[in-house]
Amino acid sequence: MKKRRSRRQSGPQVSELTTNRLSIYLRCLDTLQAEGVQTISSQGLAARFHLNAAQIRKDLAWFGEFGVRGVGYSVETLAAHLRSILGLGAPIRMAVVGAGLLGQALADYPGFPRDGFEPVALFDRSPAKVGGQTRGGVPIFHIRRLKGIVRRQRIRIAMVAVPAEAAQQVVNQAAAAGVEAILNFAPAALVAPPGVKLRNVDLTVSLEGLAYHLKRHDANQK
Amino acid sequence: MKKRRSRRQSGPQVSELTTNRLSIYLRCLDTLQAEGVQTISSQGLAARFHLNAAQIRKDLAWFGEFGVRGVGYSVETLAAHLRSILGLGAPIRMAVVGAGLLGQALADYPGFPRDGFEPVALFDRSPAKVGGQTRGGVPIFHIRRLKGIVRRQRIRIAMVAVPAEAAQQVVNQAAAAGVEAILNFAPAALVAPPGVKLRNVDLTVSLEGLAYHLKRHDANQK
DNA sequence: CTGTGTGAACCCCTTCACAGCG
DNA sequence: CGCTGTGAAGGGGTTCACACAG
């Protein structure tokens, strides 16, 4: 009756597109729960949040059977399942590397703690910054201390907000320090050692993608 | 001999994945040019930057024939073509809405001017912030003045860095003000009117996607 | 002989459609 | 009877492989 695809520890090998949508579904469910909605069908979810009902069901099917036929899904229990699938049981501690404006903004971003991600340390190589802390109270350490603090504080994710030239070295250091995943904001094509998951948030690529869609009003069109 | 797909003004209807890669290619070419490389083959590009040679050629084929058979591509002219395709002829002026830490970091991000994107105004509704400016010198205006300043300053892209609850309204205001594209950082599913291109940078989704790949070490595994 | 441009094959993701359960 | 879960169909994007241009 149940297709157990889970290999005990890590879940099935689903695509990044699917995990992204699971995260979206979770957010939608949280919204519904705040509104007091107790049950919702895939149709209802799709209509309310501009999603595709079949896709919701397919995405969930990778992990089990969470719905009740003829009824739909319990908002509360489906949200709990998604949190479990995504590994959001306990808060996840993070480090931010690079104490520039972006790094400090990330360290103090109010959305992260709300979603169970806690930036607990900021790293930089500038002596002027080391020893201080962000407005939100995140302490700034010298990058040299990365490994020790990652170990001691059980930091699992690093966010990289340093100039492109330094980014690869920071990824290497973070991986060596035992970080399991990295979110990179530097505009550079980086590689992470096997076992370390790397994702990029490339603002230049995003903006140039938008630029492609701007109306062209060049003076001299050939 | 030439397949001209271009409909004079806006280019062909290629996927977002393709435009993203064009942006990457451009960055790679800039790197090569800085190194003094004059010519490169798709193979060479692929090997150097972990790309796929066939995909590079396919992506470029949407827009023309830029290579020389038996030789490869001129680094300089291919870069120029890509810049033209992406619409990066002249600097593109941007507004940032939301003068929190993230908004200010975006307004002062040094990578943007380097790539031809110029944040020229920051908007907020907090009287405490309005009238001031960022460390980098970007002036902060009341959101009420969005339309006038977008018009006068010929702002074409808006970056949205406000809380999720306010994001949809800001998108509506920006669209009404004449902005052509929006890069949204708020964790919310927004809609933009037709003709306005919307892209999301969702940090929570990115982090939860990483969380999925973390090793599970729960105390009690069922 | 080298490397582009491109049809064809392949693969993955999305969408459809419906059997069957509650 | 409604809605899930899912096989099958469909559509896109990626990769292959090669004709052919230089």
Side-chain angles (χ1 to χ4, degrees), chain B residues 60-137:
Chain B
L60 297 177
W62 284 94
F63 303 94
E65 308 194 354
F66 307 115
V68 179
R69 301 183 183 219
V71 179
Y73 303 88
S74 152
V75 171
E76 186 176 356
T77 62
L78 183 54
H81 275 297
L82 287 178
R83 249 181 273 275
S84 160
I85 289 167
L86 290 169
L88 306 176
I92 295 172
R93 277 181 289 283
M94 304 193 297
V96 182
V97 184
L101 283 176
L102 181 58
Q104 299 211 27
L106 292 172
D108 285 347
Y109 186 64
F112 291 153
R114 245 187 325 239
D115 290 323
F117 296 92
E118 298 185 342
V120 295
L122 186 50
F123 295 88
D124 206 290
R125 64 180 181 193
S126 154
K129 288 170 180 165
V130 169
Q133 58 176 45
T134 67
R135 286 199 236 169

Side-chain angles (χ1 to χ4, degrees), chain B residues 201-221:
Chain B
V201 174
D202 197 313
L203 301 183
T204 297
V205 168
S206 299
L207 284 177
E208 294 188 347
L210 288 178
Y212 178 75
H213 295 277
L214 298 180
K215 295 152 199 79
R216 311 293 158 100
H217 37 53
D218 306 334
N220 45 356
Q221 194 88 20

Side-chain angles (χ1 to χ4, degrees), chain A residues 34-111:
Chain A
E35 293 174 6
V37 178
Q38 304 222 338
T39 292
I40 189 129
S41 67
S42 60
Q43 315 260 351
L45 256 183
R48 179 81 153 64
F49 299 100
H50 316 104
L51 304 169
N52 179 298
Q55 187 157 68
I56 295 171
R57 299 199 298 274
K58 262 275 151 69
D59 286 336
L60 297 178
W62 283 94
F63 302 93
E65 308 195 352
F66 307 115
V68 179
R69 300 179 185 224
V71 179
Y73 303 87
S74 151
V75 172
E76 186 177 356
T77 62
L78 183 55
H81 275 298
L82 288 178
R83 249 181 273 275
S84 160
I85 290 167
L86 290 169
L88 306 176
I92 295 172
R93 277 181 291 282
M94 304 193 295
V96 182
V97 184
L101 285 176
L102 181 58
Q104 300 212 27
L106 292 173
D108 286 347
Y109 186 65

Side-chain angles (χ1 to χ4, degrees), chain A residues 8-9 11-12 23 27 84-86 101 115 135 156 180 187 202 204-205 208 211-212 215-217, chain B residues 8-9 11-12 23 27 84-86 101 115 135 156 180 187 202 204-205 208 211-212 215-217 221:
Chain A
R8 231 180 33 83
Q9 292 278 56
S23 177
R27 179 181 296 159
S84 160
I85 290 167
L86 290 169
L101 285 176
D115 290 323
R135 285 198 236 171
R156 309 183 65 191
E180 297 169 51
D202 197 314
T204 297
V205 168
E208 293 187 347
Y212 178 76
K215 295 153 200 78
R216 311 293 158 100
H217 35 55
Chain B
R8 230 180 34 84
Q9 293 278 59
S23 177
R27 180 182 296 160
S84 160
I85 289 167
L86 290 169
L101 283 176
D115 290 323
R135 286 199 236 169
R156 309 183 64 190
E180 297 169 51
D202 197 313
T204 297
V205 168
E208 294 188 347
Y212 178 75
K215 295 152 199 79
R216 311 293 158 100
H217 37 53
Q221 194 88 20

